Amino acid sequence: MDSKTEKSQKIEKLKQDKNSVILAHYYVPAEVQAVADYVGDSYYLAEVAARVEQQTICFCGVRFMGESAKLLSPNKRVLLPAKDADCPMAHMAAVERIQEVRRQYPDVAVVCYVNSDAELKAHSDVCVTSSNAEKIVDALPNRHIYFIPDEHLGRYIAGRLPQKHFIFNDGFCHVHTEITPKELAKARAAHPGALVLAHPECSRQVTGLADYVGSTAGIIAYAAQSKAEEFIVCTETGVFYQLQQENPGKHFYPAMERQICPNMKKITLDQVIRALETGETEVELPADWMERAHAPLRRMLELAGR
Ligand code: 13P
Ligand code: SF4
C-alpha cells in the first residue's frame, strides 16, 4: 500500500473518531481534494459550512475561508491544516477608507468579496463571492457600491450592472493578474480551437477575451456541458483535477505556466492528519468581529438563495 493510500485511510478513521468533516477548495492539491467530503468554490463551501452536522470542520483552503466557516458556524470547531495559508488579497483594503467612503456617500453599500479578513467583513454591508456577486449587487437597493477588496472582480461586475455607480479599491490576486492578453494569445496560438474560460479575478483585458467568465465552480460546470473538447483555463490549476475527473475525453490547458496559488498549495495530507489529531490549528476570532462579520455573510446566503 502506498503512503498516500495509508494517509487517506488514516484521515477516514480520524474523521469518524473525531466527528469531523473535511471541506476543500478546488485549488488545494489533488490528493487533499480526494479525501474531502465536500469540494467546491467559495460560495458552496460557505453554504456547506453553515449547515454541516459534524462538530469539527477541517477547512482545506486559505485563512479567510476558515474564518467564514467559523463566522457561519460559531459553535463549531474550525481547523485550518496550514495556519500560514493566507490569501494576500484578503488584507488589501483599509477600514479608514471604508469609513471615508461612507462619509462621502451616506447611502453606499460596502460590498465585500469573501476573499477578505474578518475585520473587513465586520465593516461591510454584504459579502459576495465570484459566483453570486452580480445577483447580489443587482438586488441591493443602493446605487453607490464600494466594492472591496478586488478591483478586477469589482470592475467585471460593474460592467454587467451599468445602472450602479461603483467605487473601486485597488486589491488584486497575484495569481490571476499575472495572466496577460499576451500569454493568452500564445496559448490560443498553441491550441487554436480551444474555448477560453476565465475567472473574474483576471484583468478586464483577459475576461474581455474569454468565451466564458465565472467562478471556479462555474468554469467546471461550463466545461462539462460544453460540446467543445479543448479549453484554455484562466484560473489556478487546482481546478484541473476536477475538470479532468468530470471530462475524461476533453483537454484542458493553462494560459501560462505559473497559474499556481502558493498558499493553497501549502495544504498537505500530513497537515490534515496533524490538524485532526491535535486540533492545534483552530480558527479563533475576536468576539466583536465575530458578531459584526457574521451579518454580511448571512445576508449573502439569504440574497444568493433567493
Ligand atoms: P471561487 O469562489 O471562484 O472558487 O474563487 C476563490 C478564489 O480564491 C479565487 O482566487
Ligand atoms: Fe487569494 Fe488569488 Fe490564491 Fe485565490 S488564487 S486564494 S485570490 S491569492
Side-chain angles (χ1 to χ4, degrees), residues 15-257:
K15 277 198 282 190
Q16 303 303 323
D17 294 351
K18 308 267 182 177
N19 188 20
S20 304
V21 62
I22 299 183
L23 275 56
H25 188 266
Y26 289 126
Y27 293 165
V28 301
E31 64 267 25
V32 177
Q33 294 188 46
V35 298
D37 301 288
Y38 300 90
V39 184
D41 69 357
S42 309
Y43 173 61
Y44 173 73
L45 295 174
E47 186 259 313
V48 169
R51 67 173 156 85
V52 283
E53 279 166 11
Q54 288 86 344
Q55 194 39 46
T56 299
I57 298 172
C58 179
F59 209 118
C60 299
V62 286
R63 172 160 290 274
F64 77 79
M65 296 180 171
E67 287 184 357
S68 297
K70 181 72 187 171
L71 290 163
L72 288 164
S73 275
N75 299 324
K76 304 220 161 163
R77 195 160 69 135
V78 179
L79 305 175
L80 274 177
K83 68 165 183 275
D84 62 336
D86 199 6
C87 168
M89 192 218 281
H91 313 286
M92 289 185 190
V95 170
E96 298 70 34
R97 176 71 186 134
I98 296 176
Q99 288 161 345
E100 199 178 292
V101 173
R102 283 197 191 281
R103 278 195 295 274
Q104 211 175 339
Y105 300 96
D107 65 333
V108 76
V110 178
V111 176
C112 187
Y113 187 28
V114 278
N115 293 40
S116 49
D117 59 34
E119 186 183 18
L120 290 175
K121 288 185 177 76
H123 286 84
S124 301
D125 297 306
V126 64
C127 289
V128 296
T129 74
S130 54
S131 67
N132 58 35
E134 182 179 339
K135 179 177 179 182
I136 290 178
V137 175
D138 192 27
L140 295 176
N142 319 61
R143 194 174 93 77
H144 300 299
I145 305 292
Y146 181 36
F147 196 97
I148 59 166
D150 188 18
E151 176 172 359
H152 301 280
L153 176 62
R155 288 196 183 275
Y156 176 73
I157 301 300
R160 313 269 309 167
L161 300 172
Q163 69 279 22
K164 302 276 181 182
H165 169 243
F166 276 68
I167 301 118
F168 300 107
N169 172 71
D170 58 4
F172 64 95
C173 163
H174 65 101
V175 182
H176 289 86
T177 51
E178 269 197 28
I179 304 170
T180 60
K182 201 168 152 195
E183 299 279 359
L184 187 52
K186 272 195 252 167
R188 271 197 150 140
H191 310 289
L195 293 185
V196 176
L197 315 180
H199 195 279
E201 286 177 15
C202 293
S203 71
R204 288 285 276 144
Q205 291 105 302
V206 168
T207 53
L209 295 168
D211 297 288
Y212 172 78
V213 180
S215 75
T216 51
I219 287 174
I220 291 165
Y222 184 90
Q225 59 74 45
S226 171
K227 288 196 172 55
E229 290 181 359
E230 292 192 295
F231 303 87
I232 296 166
V233 182
C234 302
T235 193
E236 214 274 356
T237 50
V239 296
F240 283 60
Y241 173 63
Q242 200 65 33
L243 285 169
Q244 276 150 0
Q245 284 220 323
E246 284 188 23
N247 307 282
K250 297 183 181 179
H251 302 279
F252 300 96
Y253 313 104
M256 54 178 276
E257 264 174 38

